[in-house]
Amino acid sequence: MTTLVEVARAAGVTAATVSNVLRNRGKVGEETRRRVLAAVESMGYRPNLMARALVEGKPHTMALVVSSIANPFYPEFALEVERAARKLGYFLLVCNTNDDPAQERAYLDAVGGALAQGVIVMNADFVQLDALQDLRRRGVPVVLCMWERPQEPPPLPCVAVDLYQAGVLAAEHLLRLGHKRLGAVCGSEPTGNHQWRLRGFIDTVQKAGVELPASHLRYGHDTIDDGRNAAHSLLAGVPGLTAVFATNDLPALGVLQAAAELGLEVPRDLSVIGVTDIQLAHQMRPALSTVAMPTAEAAMLAVQMLQSEITAKPDHPLPISITEPPRLVVRASTGKPRG
Amino acid sequence: MTTLVEVARAAGVTAATVSNVLRNRGKVGEETRRRVLAAVESMGYRPNLMARALVEGKPHTMALVVSSIANPFYPEFALEVERAARKLGYFLLVCNTNDDPAQERAYLDAVGGALAQGVIVMNADFVQLDALQDLRRRGVPVVLCMWERPQEPPPLPCVAVDLYQAGVLAAEHLLRLGHKRLGAVCGSEPTGNHQWRLRGFIDTVQKAGVELPASHLRYGHDTIDDGRNAAHSLLAGVPGLTAVFATNDLPALGVLQAAAELGLEVPRDLSVIGVTDIQLAHQMRPALSTVAMPTAEAAMLAVQMLQSEITAKPDHPLPISITEPPRLVVRASTGKPRG
DNA sequence: TTGAAAGCGCTAACAC
DNA sequence: GTGTTAGCGCTTTCAA
């Protein structure tokens, strides 16, 4: 590997000068500058980022901790974070914990061990807020991203999306279309991650005077399969259902499949709406109506917040950024009820 | 940030001793050891991985360069690489180039600049072998993964999967079921990445005496949408088609959708088979028959190969690993032709 | 405008 | 067993 000193020697100067040339510090003679650049070029020199990080006291690296990439939303979000990080000059270390707390612990230690300058953690069902607070107390910048309830923030810097609103928007859309027999499929436990989306939906529906008893609700995991099973159970248990809200796109796609298996035509016999707007949502047929998350914005805010955390003084107040509200995207899976 | 020296001071020893304790180098008195550990614990010390990397001459980091994560296969593969890397004690830096050569260049420079010890590059349509060879010449370990044609290896260390075989297996499966009117949808240009899969299919079909003129072939991108469009064109242009091979799962899902839109029942009216076995393949309905890639194995081999490249002497012969052959996975989208 | 020197946090020889 | 020393590749005062 070519080092700075070797380049310097080749150019007949000293390491400091080469460094100055490379960082455009000015104060370098034009002639010297040319010689140095030539040497750099011909030797294929690349600065050792680790060494630079060491002396500067910071690696230009952020870490993103995701719990699983089984759900296609995570990679899509990771992509956005990567983009945002690059824009600010950071590299992104992606840490997949596979829903394994030990793995997460190991990653956080490593990151706390200065592999990255800070860490963005995807809010997921099982996030261990305690471990993250510890980390933060030890001086490692941490940002929690995609917190779903801005009104009740976590004890960490966070980027929040008001997903209660997502439930509200979905409900309003279905009610506006004239649906009165509604069901919902929740992609988490009742007290889990998706609870707010569901509450927004329930509150809005009930406020409109439409009944939505517990028997119209199903809970499961955030997967296509669970969505399909829930839909089968729902359609069997609640006669006359005309619309289903799923707290995420994956289960919504499962509902679509269940409908197809039962010979129901969407949206004529059943309207279906999800949340997130993953890529699949518009690629499937019928294309899925959904409430889109401001993914790119959340990613950008998270990266920016992490950057401020990195430079912030200790004991500054806990920051929180709130994204634009989610947005209704009407596609082909929702329509007026029959009759 | 707590450093080694601070810990040493607190424990009343010197940095070397702390280091010895932490690395379990033995030769440390039990009593001292205890004191050191206590200090480490109470001060929340974490070794600075950058410093360690610098002195050891290697970061425990590998980079994975992927061109895009629009295609769900990439994240799934990235996950496997991450797992394999972790198993060998490496962290994984994920570099998404967004199909942008400049971005790729920037990443490769950074990685060549010792952010990572080496780089695994996903074989994609547009991989720039030249740039990679340059990098390798500069001494950066590079492994190309998922090369599709072991018989014609690239000028780089690589992990190859014989995807010609994938085409063969798909063809044999369809022929065995009795199909005689076949079509194919290729997820790349005729000379693109998927050409071998298609050739395997064509060769096998023709060897069996079944005709497969160019009019039964469609080319496009590796997306659901292109698969759907190709299928519409194919089904309109070739009457009596009973089975379609898609060179990837995504276009295969598109074919499934086209069939549904045309009121065709799968597999009664049309059999569909893809390649890869992404997660969606078994989550969709009908579940997709496909030829599964040995993803986890390829990931492991790539990581292992990169590790040997890292420790290999210069000018060693170009290594190539070949995975197990792809495997036929029969699900619900293929069956006997009607009549 | 350029060079010399110190030091980032850590490890590895070697000496004590 | 433990400490001393040197140095990884780089940046950054400070002198020349």
Side-chain angles (χ1 to χ4, degrees):
Chain A
M1 208 182 71
T2 324
T3 74
L4 198 52
V5 191
E6 294 173 333
V7 173
R9 197 151 32 215
V13 294
T14 177
T17 304
V18 178
S19 178
N20 280 332
V21 171
L22 261 28
R23 308 318 275 310
N24 281 314
R25 281 270 178 308
K27 59 181 177 182
V28 176
E30 187 48 38
E31 153 63 10
T32 329
R33 192 182 141 74
R34 219 189 310 281
R35 268 210 327 277
V36 169
L37 254 21
V40 165
E41 180 60 29
S42 81
M43 307 176 76
Y45 168 76
R46 297 282 170 272
N48 182 323
L49 267 25
M50 292 274 174
R52 190 177 277 179
L54 185 58
V55 52
E56 287 179 343
K58 57 188 180 196
H60 291 270
T61 309
M62 291 179 173
L64 174 69
V65 176
V66 296
S67 55
S68 142
I69 54 177
N71 184 327
F73 172 67
Y74 293 137
E76 287 177 24
F77 182 69
L79 168 68
E80 295 294 348
V81 174
E82 204 251 16
R83 236 182 233 164
R86 286 285 296 158
K87 206 170 290 176
L88 267 57
Y90 292 91
F91 291 92
L92 189 70
L93 206 54
V94 173
C95 307
N96 188 304
T97 63
N98 270 325
D99 280 330
D100 171 2
Q103 179 94 336
E104 174 166 358
R105 195 87 211 166
Y107 265 131
L108 292 180
D109 274 355
V111 168
L115 235 199
Q117 233 171 313
V119 46
I120 297 173
V121 180
M122 265 302 276
N123 184 30
D125 246 336
F126 85 115
V127 194
Q128 306 179 310
L129 293 179
D130 288 0
L132 294 178
Q133 282 182 273
D134 273 4
L135 195 65
R136 180 168 145 83
R137 252 178 251 118
R138 268 200 263 115
V140 179
V142 176
V143 170
L144 190 59
C145 193
M146 289 288 172
W147 187 256
E148 311 214 341
R149 180 66 172 165
Q151 292 81 357
E152 302 175 23
L156 284 170
C158 90
V159 173
V161 186
D162 188 351
L163 286 180
Y164 181 91
Q165 275 306 314
V168 172
L169 290 173
E172 288 176 351
H173 175 56
L174 294 177
L175 291 168
R176 212 179 302 124
L177 287 169
H179 291 276
K180 300 253 184 283
R181 298 280 293 174
L182 303 164
V185 174
C186 183
S188 78
E189 298 160 21
T191 59
N193 222 22
H194 291 185
Q195 60 175 308
W196 301 108
R197 315 177 183 195
L198 184 61
R199 290 199 197 176
F201 182 77
I202 295 176
D203 289 354
T204 308
V205 167
Q206 293 184 335
K207 209 171 295 170
V210 173
E211 273 189 57
L212 192 66
S215 61
H216 290 209
L217 270 28
R218 293 292 182 280
Y219 300 88
H221 296 108
D222 186 7
T223 62
I224 293 184
D225 285 342
D226 275 21
R228 181 173 42 234
N229 294 338
H232 275 298
S233 152
L234 213 46
L235 290 163
V238 186
L241 213 62
T242 65
V244 173
F245 165 64
T247 59
N248 219 355
D249 286 348
L250 240 31
L253 294 175
V255 175
L256 244 32
Q257 290 183 1
E261 286 162 8
L262 295 170
L264 299 176
E265 195 179 304
V266 173
R268 199 197 55 188
D269 304 322
L270 187 74
S271 283
V272 180
I273 185 165
V275 176
T276 308
D277 199 18
I278 58 177
Q279 301 215 13
L280 268 180
H282 71 262
Q283 292 169 343
M284 300 314 291
R285 288 298 175 275
L288 186 69
S289 293
T290 189
V291 182
M293 290 219 212
T295 314
E297 190 198 359
M300 193 66 210
L301 288 176
V303 168
Q304 284 170 346
M305 180 178 288
L306 187 54
Q307 197 180 33
S308 347
E309 285 297 292
I310 287 166
T311 54
K313 337 188 200 345
D315 295 322
H316 61 288
L318 221 49
I320 177 167
S321 290
I322 302 175
T323 66
E324 302 254 298
R327 233 180 54 253
L328 179 68
V329 177
V330 179
R331 297 210 180 90
S333 69
T334 48
K336 291 191 199 304
R338 221 171 359 168
Chain B
M1 208 182 71
T2 325
T3 72
L4 238 204
V5 191
E6 295 173 331
V7 174
R9 197 150 33 210
V13 295
T14 178
T17 305
V18 179
S19 178
N20 279 333
V21 171
L22 262 28
R23 312 315 278 311
N24 282 316
R25 280 269 179 309
K27 56 181 178 182
V28 176
E30 187 48 39
E31 153 63 10
T32 333
R33 192 183 140 73
R34 219 190 309 281
R35 267 209 329 276
V36 169
L37 255 19
V40 165
E41 181 60 30
S42 81
M43 307 178 74
Y45 169 75
R46 297 282 171 270
N48 182 324
L49 267 27
M50 292 274 173
R52 190 178 280 178
L54 185 59
V55 52
E56 287 180 343
K58 56 187 179 194
H60 291 270
T61 309
M62 291 179 172
L64 173 70
V65 175
V66 297
S67 56
S68 142
I69 55 176
N71 185 327
F73 173 67
Y74 293 138
E76 287 178 23
F77 182 69
L79 169 69
E80 295 295 347
V81 173
E82 203 251 16
R83 235 181 233 165
R86 286 286 294 159
K87 205 169 291 174
L88 268 57
Y90 291 91
F91 291 91
L92 189 69
L93 205 54
V94 173
C95 307
N96 186 304
T97 64
N98 269 325
D99 281 329
D100 171 1
Q103 177 93 340
E104 174 165 359
R105 193 89 212 167
Y107 265 132
L108 292 180
D109 274 356
V111 168
L115 236 197
Q117 232 170 312
V119 45
I120 297 174
V121 180
M122 265 301 277
N123 184 29
D125 247 334
F126 85 114
V127 195
Q128 305 178 311
L129 293 179
D130 290 359
L132 295 177
Q133 280 183 275
D134 272 3
L135 195 66
R136 181 168 144 83
R137 252 178 249 119
R138 268 199 264 114
V140 179
V142 176
V143 168
L144 190 59
C145 192
M146 289 290 173
W147 186 256
E148 311 215 342
R149 181 67 171 165
Q151 293 81 356
E152 303 175 24
L156 284 169
C158 90
V159 173
V161 186
D162 188 351
L163 286 180
Y164 181 91
Q165 275 306 314
V168 171
L169 290 174
E172 289 177 351
H173 175 56
L174 295 177
L175 292 168
R176 212 179 302 125
L177 287 169
H179 291 276
K180 300 252 181 288
R181 299 278 294 173
L182 302 164
V185 174
C186 183
S188 78
E189 297 159 24
T191 59
N193 222 22
H194 291 185
Q195 60 175 309
W196 302 108
R197 315 176 184 196
L198 185 61
R199 290 199 197 176
F201 183 77
I202 295 176
D203 290 355
T204 309
V205 168
Q206 292 183 338
K207 209 171 293 166
V210 173
E211 275 188 56
L212 193 64
S215 61
H216 290 208
L217 271 27
R218 293 292 182 283
Y219 299 88
H221 295 109
D222 186 8
T223 62
I224 293 185
D225 284 342
D226 275 21
R228 180 173 45 233
N229 294 337
H232 275 298
S233 152
L234 213 47
L235 290 164
V238 186
L241 213 63
T242 65
V244 173
F245 165 63
T247 59
N248 219 354
D249 285 348
L250 239 31
L253 294 176
V255 175
L256 243 32
Q257 289 184 1
E261 287 162 7
L262 294 169
L264 299 175
E265 195 180 302
V266 173
R268 198 196 57 188
D269 304 322
L270 186 74
S271 283
V272 179
I273 185 166
V275 177
T276 308
D277 199 18
I278 58 177
Q279 302 214 11
L280 269 180
H282 71 262
Q283 292 169 343
M284 299 315 292
R285 287 299 175 274
L288 187 70
S289 293
T290 188
V291 182
M293 291 219 210
T295 312
E297 189 198 1
M300 194 67 209
L301 289 176
V303 168
Q304 284 169 346
M305 180 177 289
L306 187 54
Q307 196 179 35
S308 349
E309 285 297 292
I310 287 167
T311 54
K313 340 189 199 342
D315 296 320
H316 61 288
L318 220 48
I320 178 167
S321 290
I322 302 175
T323 67
E324 302 253 296
R327 231 181 54 253
L328 179 68
V329 178
V330 179
R331 297 209 181 91
S333 69
T334 48
K336 291 190 198 307
R338 220 169 4 166

PDB file of all heavy atoms in Angstrom, chain B residues 81 183 206 220 252 277 315:
ATOM      1  N   VAL B  81     -24.399 -12.070   3.239  1.00  0.00           N
ATOM      2  CA  VAL B  81     -22.992 -11.687   3.269  1.00  0.00           C
ATOM      3  C   VAL B  81     -22.657 -11.148   4.657  1.00  0.00           C
ATOM      4  O   VAL B  81     -21.611 -11.457   5.241  1.00  0.00           O
ATOM      5  CB  VAL B  81     -22.674 -10.630   2.204  1.00  0.00           C
ATOM      6  CG1 VAL B  81     -21.254 -10.114   2.363  1.00  0.00           C
ATOM      7  CG2 VAL B  81     -22.867 -11.208   0.812  1.00  0.00           C
ATOM      8  N   GLY B 183     -42.606 -20.189 -23.833  1.00  0.00           N
ATOM      9  CA  GLY B 183     -42.090 -18.845 -24.067  1.00  0.00           C
ATOM     10  C   GLY B 183     -41.109 -18.494 -22.965  1.00  0.00           C
ATOM     11  O   GLY B 183     -41.059 -19.169 -21.936  1.00  0.00           O
ATOM     12  N   GLN B 206     -34.676 -27.007 -27.106  1.00  0.00           N
ATOM     13  CA  GLN B 206     -34.453 -27.392 -28.501  1.00  0.00           C
ATOM     14  C   GLN B 206     -33.883 -28.798 -28.607  1.00  0.00           C
ATOM     15  O   GLN B 206     -34.211 -29.554 -29.516  1.00  0.00           O
ATOM     16  CB  GLN B 206     -33.546 -26.369 -29.169  1.00  0.00           C
ATOM     17  CG  GLN B 206     -34.265 -25.025 -29.303  1.00  0.00           C
ATOM     18  CD  GLN B 206     -33.457 -23.966 -30.023  1.00  0.00           C
ATOM     19  OE1 GLN B 206     -32.238 -24.050 -30.083  1.00  0.00           O
ATOM     20  NE2 GLN B 206     -34.148 -22.969 -30.569  1.00  0.00           N
ATOM     21  N   GLY B 220     -36.195  -7.602 -21.425  1.00  0.00           N
ATOM     22  CA  GLY B 220     -36.549  -6.375 -20.695  1.00  0.00           C
ATOM     23  C   GLY B 220     -35.643  -6.208 -19.491  1.00  0.00           C
ATOM     24  O   GLY B 220     -34.541  -6.743 -19.457  1.00  0.00           O
ATOM     25  N   ALA B 252     -40.986 -13.065 -13.287  1.00  0.00           N
ATOM     26  CA  ALA B 252     -41.922 -14.187 -13.200  1.00  0.00           C
ATOM     27  C   ALA B 252     -43.192 -13.758 -12.475  1.00  0.00           C
ATOM     28  O   ALA B 252     -44.305 -14.115 -12.869  1.00  0.00           O
ATOM     29  CB  ALA B 252     -41.272 -15.363 -12.473  1.00  0.00           C
ATOM     30  N   ASP B 277     -35.493 -17.650  -6.264  1.00  0.00           N
ATOM     31  CA  ASP B 277     -36.188 -17.940  -5.024  1.00  0.00           C
ATOM     32  C   ASP B 277     -36.006 -16.840  -3.989  1.00  0.00           C
ATOM     33  O   ASP B 277     -35.499 -17.072  -2.890  1.00  0.00           O
ATOM     34  CB  ASP B 277     -35.780 -19.294  -4.433  1.00  0.00           C
ATOM     35  CG  ASP B 277     -36.813 -19.791  -3.417  1.00  0.00           C
ATOM     36  OD1 ASP B 277     -37.948 -19.268  -3.446  1.00  0.00           O
ATOM     37  OD2 ASP B 277     -36.499 -20.661  -2.599  1.00  0.00           O
ATOM     38  N   ASP B 315       0.406 -11.948  -6.699  1.00  0.00           N
ATOM     39  CA  ASP B 315       0.647 -12.794  -7.871  1.00  0.00           C
ATOM     40  C   ASP B 315       0.293 -14.259  -7.677  1.00  0.00           C
ATOM     41  O   ASP B 315       0.822 -15.115  -8.365  1.00  0.00           O
ATOM     42  CB  ASP B 315       2.108 -12.688  -8.321  1.00  0.00           C
ATOM     43  CG  ASP B 315       2.430 -11.286  -8.789  1.00  0.00           C
ATOM     44  OD1 ASP B 315       1.568 -10.690  -9.454  1.00  0.00           O
ATOM     45  OD2 ASP B 315       3.518 -10.789  -8.467  1.00  0.00           O
TER      46      ASP B 315
END
